[in-house]
Amino acid sequence: MTRTLVVAALIAMASSAQADEPLAQWNFNSVPSDGSTSTGTTMPVIGSGTAALVGGTTATFASGDASGGSSDPSSGDDSGWNVTTFAAQGSGDKSRGVQFNVSTAGYRDIVVTWDQRHSNTAARDVLFQYTTDGSTWIDAGSFAASAGDAWFNGRTVDLSTVAAVEDNAEFGFRVVATFAPGTMSYAASNPSSTYGTTGTWRFDMVTVSAMPIPEPGTYALMAAGLLAVGFFARRRVG
Ligand SMILES: [Ca+2]
Ligand SMILES: [Ca+2]
C-alpha cells in the first residue's frame, strides 16, 4: 500500500468514527403518547437542553401533521410548539420568538435545523441568532416564508465554521421575528394577509447536530499511525 493510500485510510477511519449525530432534539410530542396534539412537552426527546419563550410570546401545542406537516415521522399524536403573542406592528424588532440552550461541551461542527409553520398573519421574516456566552446574541441566518398556513421544513443554520460555538456549555440560539428587510414593520407570511400579533409560528424537529471532539488518545493513535507510515516509507526508499 502506498503512503498516500494509508494516510487516506487513516483519515477515513477517523472520519467514520465521528459521524454527525443529533446532540439534542425536540419533537414536542407527549411522552407517553396520549392521542392529543394539544398536549406535548418542551423537554428534548434526544439529549438535554432547554426550550424557552422569548420577549413575551406565549405557546400551546398544536398539530405537527396539519397544513402539510412537519418532518416529524410521528403521526396522530404529533405536536408542534405553537408560539404566538408577537410584538405590535412596528415595534420589538428581533425581540420575540423562542430560545433553545444546548451545551456543546465535547462537540464541534454544530448545525441547527428545524421545521417551522407560519400562519397567514404571522411574521414572514425570521432571524436566527446564537450566543456563546448566554447573553450576547449574534445574527447568523435569516429566512422568509413564501406563504402562510404552510410548513417550512429543514431550515438549517450551519455553524461548523464558528469555533466559538464548539465545546461551549453556554451555547444557545433564538428564532425571532424581524422586520421586513429595509423597513420598520413586519410583513405577513401570506402576502394577502395583514400582520397580526396573534399570528402563530409552530416549531417541530428542532435539532442540534454535532460531531464529538476526538479524545486526545485518538489523535495520539492517528499520529502514531502517520509516523509509522513515514518510517516504513523511508525504509523502503532507503
Ligand atoms: Ca399529546
Ligand atoms: Ca412533533
Side-chain angles (χ1 to χ4, degrees):
M1 197 186 278
T2 69
R3 177 152 70 162
T4 308
L5 278 175
V6 175
V7 170
L10 280 168
I11 291 169
M13 279 168 58
S15 303
S16 65
Q18 302 163 34
D20 212 16
E21 58 186 64
L23 179 59
Q25 184 174 71
W26 284 260
N27 67 11
F28 305 106
N29 304 339
S30 295
V31 180
S33 176
D34 62 2
S36 168
T37 58
S38 62
T39 56
T41 181
T42 54
M43 296 287 290
V45 65
I46 295 173
S48 58
T50 58
L53 298 166
V54 173
T57 51
T58 59
T60 54
F61 295 98
S63 177
D65 295 334
S67 309
S70 69
S71 66
D72 190 339
S74 305
S75 63
D77 192 32
D78 175 8
S79 295
W81 197 23
N82 198 50
V83 176
T84 188
T85 318
F86 286 93
Q89 181 59 288
S91 73
D93 187 29
K94 306 184 185 181
S95 70
R96 296 202 187 202
V98 294
Q99 175 177 333
F100 298 84
N101 286 77
V102 176
S103 168
T104 63
Y107 286 82
R108 61 180 171 85
D109 292 355
I110 311 303
V111 178
V112 179
T113 60
W114 71 98
D115 300 342
Q116 186 174 352
R117 175 190 176 273
H118 289 238
S119 74
N120 287 316
T121 61
R124 178 192 72 185
D125 295 280
V126 176
L127 181 67
F128 175 97
Q129 302 177 305
Y130 70 85
T131 184
T132 58
D133 62 9
S135 58
T136 309
W137 297 90
I138 299 157
D139 297 354
S142 54
F143 302 85
S146 55
D149 188 19
W151 280 94
F152 298 89
N153 296 343
R155 284 181 168 166
T156 301
V157 176
D158 185 343
L159 298 172
S160 59
T161 60
V162 183
V165 304
E166 299 175 356
D167 197 20
N168 187 334
E170 302 296 321
F171 175 70
F173 61 93
R174 286 179 171 176
V175 179
V176 292
T178 189
F179 292 158
T183 77
M184 291 296 286
S185 60
Y186 302 103
S189 299
N190 181 334
S192 304
S193 299
T194 301
Y195 169 81
T197 61
T198 57
T200 61
W201 280 354
R202 195 174 307 169
F203 293 87
D204 208 352
M205 303 304 280
V206 177
T207 306
V208 178
S209 301
M211 289 233 221
I213 294 170
E215 297 294 320
T218 309
Y219 285 127
L221 271 173
M222 280 185 66
L226 289 169
L227 279 172
V229 169
F231 175 74
F232 287 116
R234 275 197 305 278
R235 273 176 63 97
R236 244 198 344 262
V237 170

